[in-house]
């Protein structure tokens, strides 16, 4: 893992937090409780054991490390771990709960992004990572230092190769997902409708479309070279895009609006809310080609 005097603290802490969430997810999967219901979360959705406990182990670890941060989490809302927090941590315990409810072995996991101030632009996030316990891997990225795959306790830098030929497209819409529990998406109808109108309806019959009930899992596909484009929206608590931004930019990709503008200079706290389409692409050229198809 890359080291420097400026990066080692938040890089080591961020990666260790992901590993703790991942380890807890494997325990919950083994005892069969990971997709049991607990309560309704701060977004009005039903939360499961995996959602709550994945966040709890991360929060507890950051407390132990006395990491001077403000945490904004999907299940636990906002927590300050210092009187004057220096860092912002965006935390989603399980991204892809609707898939996990239908199939506890579906692709989903914890998303973490770290910024060095409390009102960051997207291009100011400095660390990001995603766990995927079903495939036993973690991807993470350090701003300016690359993206990495951690599997079987070995980390390797991800060097994405250009893809030639037809764009491989994934869309954040249940009609493309292999696993989906509709009771988990009771408040998401507007999101899915916008995604369908913006992407699925315009591409249907012209391109094969895939998807997973987790933006994080689709981001992993893009980072590892298994997809070229992800079509989705900024929605809910906007927990996924900060991590996606760091990871995708570190392999040479972009996140753009529907005019092809990279969102890096936009502020995370305000941009695109409550709903707006967003394109994740492996390269600026792929983004331009995709936009021309819509």
């Amino acid at each position: 893992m890359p080291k420097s005097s400026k990066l080692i603290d938040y890089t080591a802490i961020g990666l260790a937090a992901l590993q703790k969430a991942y380890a807890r997810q494997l325990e919950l999967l083994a005892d069969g409780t990971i997709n049991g219901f607990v309560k309704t979360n701060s977004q009005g959705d039903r939360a499961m054991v995996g959602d709550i406990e994945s966040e709890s182990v991360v929060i507890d670890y950051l407390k132990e490390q006395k990491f001077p941060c403000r945490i904004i989490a999907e299940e636990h809302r906002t927590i300050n771990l210092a009187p004057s927090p220096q860092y912002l941590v965006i935390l989603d315990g399980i991204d892809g709960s609707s898939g996990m409810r239908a199939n506890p072995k579906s692709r989903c996991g914890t998303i973490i992004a770290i910024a060095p101030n409390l009102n960051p632009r997207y291009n100011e996030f400095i660390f990001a990572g995603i766990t995927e316990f079903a495939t036993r891997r973690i991807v993470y990225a350090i701003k300016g230092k690359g993206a990495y795959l951690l599997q079987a306790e070995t980390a390797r830098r991800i060097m994405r190769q250009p893809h030639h030929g037809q764009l491989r497209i994934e869309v954040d819409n249940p009609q493309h997902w292999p696993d989906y529990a509709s009771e988990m998406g009771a408040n998401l109808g507007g999101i899915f409708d916008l995604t369908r109108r913006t992407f699925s309806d315009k591409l249907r019959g012209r391109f094969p479309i895939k998807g997973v009930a987790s933006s994080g899992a689709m981001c992993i596909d893009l980072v590892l070279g298994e997809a070229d484009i992800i079509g989705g929206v900024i929605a809910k608590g906007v927990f996924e895009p900060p991590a996606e931004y760091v990871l995708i930019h570190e392999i040479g990709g972009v996140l753009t609006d529907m005019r092809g503008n990279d969102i890096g200079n936009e502020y995370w706290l305000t941009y695109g809310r409550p709903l707006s389409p967003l394109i994740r692409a492996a390269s600026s050229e792929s983004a331009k080609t995709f936009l021309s198809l819509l």
Side-chain angles (χ1 to χ4, degrees):
M1 185 173 65
K3 295 183 179 182
S4 81
S5 59
K6 293 183 67 176
L7 293 176
I8 186 63
D9 287 340
Y10 64 75
T11 298
I13 288 171
L15 182 55
L18 288 165
Q19 290 173 301
K20 288 184 177 295
Y22 169 84
R24 186 63 182 133
Q25 287 153 8
L26 290 180
E27 292 172 353
L28 296 172
L29 181 65
D31 67 22
T33 63
I34 194 165
N35 64 343
F37 282 127
V38 178
K39 64 178 182 179
T40 299
N41 69 12
S42 62
Q43 306 299 316
D45 300 324
R46 299 184 75 181
M48 290 176 288
V49 173
D51 295 297
I52 300 297
E53 295 208 18
S54 296
E55 288 189 7
S56 293
V57 296
V58 170
I59 293 166
D60 289 346
Y61 174 72
L62 295 179
K63 286 180 180 177
E64 291 171 5
Q65 297 300 306
K66 296 182 172 58
F67 191 52
C69 67
R70 172 175 296 163
I71 303 169
I72 299 180
E74 183 163 18
E75 314 303 338
H76 290 80
R77 302 191 181 186
T78 301
I79 302 170
N80 286 327
L81 297 189
S84 299
Q86 300 173 37
Y87 293 89
L88 181 68
V89 176
I90 310 302
L91 171 62
D92 187 350
I94 293 288
D95 175 67
S97 297
S98 58
M100 187 177 72
R101 176 60 182 171
N103 174 11
K105 295 184 179 180
S106 68
R107 295 179 59 200
C108 60
T110 297
I111 295 179
I112 294 175
I114 301 175
N117 63 74
L118 301 185
N119 186 27
R121 301 174 190 267
Y122 275 95
N123 59 19
E124 293 177 320
F125 282 89
I126 53 178
F127 176 88
I130 304 171
T131 73
E132 193 174 76
F133 60 87
T135 59
R136 293 181 176 265
R137 58 189 178 181
I138 297 172
V139 297
Y140 66 98
I142 307 156
K143 183 180 178 182
K145 298 293 183 179
Y148 299 83
L149 171 65
L150 178 62
Q151 197 166 29
E153 299 185 359
T154 300
R156 68 168 177 85
R157 185 163 183 172
I158 300 166
M159 304 298 291
R160 162 133 191 186
Q161 300 300 314
H163 173 72
H164 302 288
Q166 188 179 64
L167 289 176
R168 296 164 300 173
I169 300 168
E170 299 189 7
V171 174
D172 194 8
N173 187 320
Q175 62 188 237
H176 309 299
W177 300 345
D179 302 305
Y180 176 57
S182 58
E183 71 267 27
M184 298 298 295
N187 299 314
L188 305 180
I191 297 170
F192 297 149
D193 184 60
L194 179 58
T195 306
R196 176 186 56 77
R197 288 187 284 107
T198 304
F199 300 109
S200 300
D201 287 354
K202 295 178 180 179
L203 297 167
R204 188 175 291 108
R206 301 166 59 201
F207 291 87
I209 305 172
K210 300 195 303 180
V212 189
S214 166
S215 296
M218 289 189 284
C219 180
I220 290 174
D221 285 346
L222 193 148
V223 169
L224 294 181
E226 297 164 13
D228 304 301
I229 294 288
I230 302 168
V233 298
I234 284 180
K236 296 173 66 181
V238 203
F239 295 99
E240 303 92 348
E244 293 171 331
Y245 191 90
V246 182
L247 282 158
I248 292 171
H249 270 259
E250 288 303 316
I251 54 94
V254 294
L255 272 71
T256 78
D257 61 21
M258 297 305 292
R259 296 181 299 277
N261 300 313
D262 188 87
I263 67 169
N265 286 322
E266 304 293 343
Y267 287 95
W268 172 76
L269 284 169
T270 56
Y271 175 72
R273 304 191 187 207
L275 293 177
S276 61
L278 187 67
I279 293 170
R280 294 86 161 166
S283 66
S284 58
E285 292 77 15
S286 296
K288 291 175 184 176
T289 300
F290 183 63
L291 281 167
S292 72
L293 301 172
L294 300 177

